[in-house]
PDB file of all heavy atoms in Angstrom:
ATOM      1  N   THR A 336     113.002  79.766  81.436  1.00 95.00           N
ATOM      2  CA  THR A 336     112.799  80.000  82.865  1.00 95.00           C
ATOM      3  C   THR A 336     112.245  81.388  83.117  1.00 95.00           C
ATOM      4  O   THR A 336     111.296  81.571  83.903  1.00 95.00           O
ATOM      5  CB  THR A 336     114.138  79.811  83.633  1.00 95.00           C
ATOM      6  OG1 THR A 336     114.619  78.518  83.275  1.00 95.00           O
ATOM      7  CG2 THR A 336     113.955  79.893  85.109  1.00 95.00           C
ATOM      8  N   ILE A 357     108.198  79.089  71.967  1.00 97.00           N
ATOM      9  CA  ILE A 357     109.629  79.350  72.118  1.00 97.00           C
ATOM     10  C   ILE A 357     110.334  78.984  70.815  1.00 97.00           C
ATOM     11  O   ILE A 357     110.046  77.961  70.190  1.00 97.00           O
ATOM     12  CB  ILE A 357     110.222  78.543  73.298  1.00 97.00           C
ATOM     13  CG1 ILE A 357     109.554  79.026  74.596  1.00 97.00           C
ATOM     14  CG2 ILE A 357     111.738  78.711  73.374  1.00 97.00           C
ATOM     15  CD1 ILE A 357     110.075  78.377  75.872  1.00 97.00           C
ATOM     16  N   ALA A 438      87.454  84.947  54.967  1.00 89.00           N
ATOM     17  CA  ALA A 438      86.866  83.894  54.113  1.00 89.00           C
ATOM     18  C   ALA A 438      86.638  84.456  52.716  1.00 89.00           C
ATOM     19  O   ALA A 438      86.945  83.813  51.705  1.00 89.00           O
ATOM     20  CB  ALA A 438      85.570  83.397  54.726  1.00 89.00           C
ATOM     21  N   ASP A 519     120.354  93.513  79.617  1.00 91.00           N
ATOM     22  CA  ASP A 519     121.606  93.353  78.893  1.00 91.00           C
ATOM     23  C   ASP A 519     121.480  92.120  78.024  1.00 91.00           C
ATOM     24  O   ASP A 519     121.194  91.033  78.537  1.00 91.00           O
ATOM     25  CB  ASP A 519     122.769  93.088  79.876  1.00 91.00           C
ATOM     26  CG  ASP A 519     122.977  94.276  80.775  1.00 91.00           C
ATOM     27  OD1 ASP A 519     122.715  95.408  80.333  1.00 91.00           O
ATOM     28  OD2 ASP A 519     123.378  94.048  81.937  1.00 91.00           O
ATOM     29  N   THR A 535     114.993  93.205  85.267  1.00 95.00           N
ATOM     30  CA  THR A 535     115.387  94.564  84.885  1.00 95.00           C
ATOM     31  C   THR A 535     114.643  95.587  85.746  1.00 95.00           C
ATOM     32  O   THR A 535     113.541  95.314  86.242  1.00 95.00           O
ATOM     33  CB  THR A 535     115.071  94.860  83.397  1.00 95.00           C
ATOM     34  OG1 THR A 535     115.467  96.197  83.108  1.00 95.00           O
ATOM     35  CG2 THR A 535     113.620  94.682  83.034  1.00 95.00           C
ATOM     36  N   ASP A 542     102.272 103.983  75.298  1.00 92.00           N
ATOM     37  CA  ASP A 542     101.008 104.702  75.347  1.00 92.00           C
ATOM     38  C   ASP A 542     100.067 104.156  74.311  1.00 92.00           C
ATOM     39  O   ASP A 542     100.467 103.380  73.421  1.00 92.00           O
ATOM     40  CB  ASP A 542     101.261 106.208  75.127  1.00 92.00           C
ATOM     41  CG  ASP A 542     101.902 106.843  76.354  1.00 92.00           C
ATOM     42  OD1 ASP A 542     101.434 106.562  77.471  1.00 92.00           O
ATOM     43  OD2 ASP A 542     102.908 107.571  76.198  1.00 92.00           O
ATOM     44  N   SER A 607     101.846 115.151 109.560  1.00 95.00           N
ATOM     45  CA  SER A 607     102.674 115.156 110.759  1.00 95.00           C
ATOM     46  C   SER A 607     101.699 115.442 111.901  1.00 95.00           C
ATOM     47  O   SER A 607     100.543 115.829 111.645  1.00 95.00           O
ATOM     48  CB  SER A 607     103.739 116.256 110.656  1.00 95.00           C
ATOM     49  OG  SER A 607     103.097 117.502 110.788  1.00 95.00           O
ATOM     50  N   VAL A 677      83.816 117.668  90.988  1.00 98.00           N
ATOM     51  CA  VAL A 677      85.106 116.964  90.850  1.00 98.00           C
ATOM     52  C   VAL A 677      84.813 115.487  90.661  1.00 98.00           C
ATOM     53  O   VAL A 677      83.977 114.916  91.345  1.00 98.00           O
ATOM     54  CB  VAL A 677      85.972 117.203  92.113  1.00 98.00           C
ATOM     55  CG1 VAL A 677      87.179 116.256  92.123  1.00 98.00           C
ATOM     56  CG2 VAL A 677      86.438 118.632  92.178  1.00 98.00           C
ATOM     57  N   GLU A 719      96.592 109.449  83.266  1.00 95.00           N
ATOM     58  CA  GLU A 719      95.590 110.183  82.505  1.00 95.00           C
ATOM     59  C   GLU A 719      94.693 111.103  83.347  1.00 95.00           C
ATOM     60  O   GLU A 719      93.966 111.918  82.810  1.00 95.00           O
ATOM     61  CB  GLU A 719      94.730 109.200  81.693  1.00 95.00           C
ATOM     62  CG  GLU A 719      95.561 108.497  80.636  1.00 95.00           C
ATOM     63  CD  GLU A 719      94.764 107.587  79.728  1.00 95.00           C
ATOM     64  OE1 GLU A 719      93.584 107.885  79.457  1.00 95.00           O
ATOM     65  OE2 GLU A 719      95.334 106.555  79.264  1.00 95.00           O
ATOM     66  N   PHE A 793      79.659  78.986 109.061  1.00 94.00           N
ATOM     67  CA  PHE A 793      79.453  79.057 107.606  1.00 94.00           C
ATOM     68  C   PHE A 793      79.899  77.798 106.869  1.00 94.00           C
ATOM     69  O   PHE A 793      79.824  77.734 105.661  1.00 94.00           O
ATOM     70  CB  PHE A 793      80.246  80.253 107.026  1.00 94.00           C
ATOM     71  CG  PHE A 793      79.805  81.574 107.572  1.00 94.00           C
ATOM     72  CD1 PHE A 793      80.189  81.997 108.829  1.00 94.00           C
ATOM     73  CD2 PHE A 793      78.958  82.403 106.832  1.00 94.00           C
ATOM     74  CE1 PHE A 793      79.778  83.219 109.348  1.00 94.00           C
ATOM     75  CE2 PHE A 793      78.532  83.609 107.343  1.00 94.00           C
ATOM     76  CZ  PHE A 793      78.945  84.019 108.594  1.00 94.00           C
ATOM     77  N   LEU A 876      75.870  86.545 113.645  1.00 95.00           N
ATOM     78  CA  LEU A 876      77.270  86.730 114.018  1.00 95.00           C
ATOM     79  C   LEU A 876      77.439  88.234 114.169  1.00 95.00           C
ATOM     80  O   LEU A 876      77.196  88.989 113.228  1.00 95.00           O
ATOM     81  CB  LEU A 876      78.194  86.210 112.896  1.00 95.00           C
ATOM     82  CG  LEU A 876      79.672  86.592 113.060  1.00 95.00           C
ATOM     83  CD1 LEU A 876      80.264  86.008 114.343  1.00 95.00           C
ATOM     84  CD2 LEU A 876      80.476  86.129 111.855  1.00 95.00           C
TER      85      LEU A 876
END
Side-chain angles (χ1 to χ4, degrees):
T336 306
I357 297 182
D519 297 329
T535 179
D542 286 315
S607 72
V677 169
E719 294 185 32
F793 297 79
L876 169 62

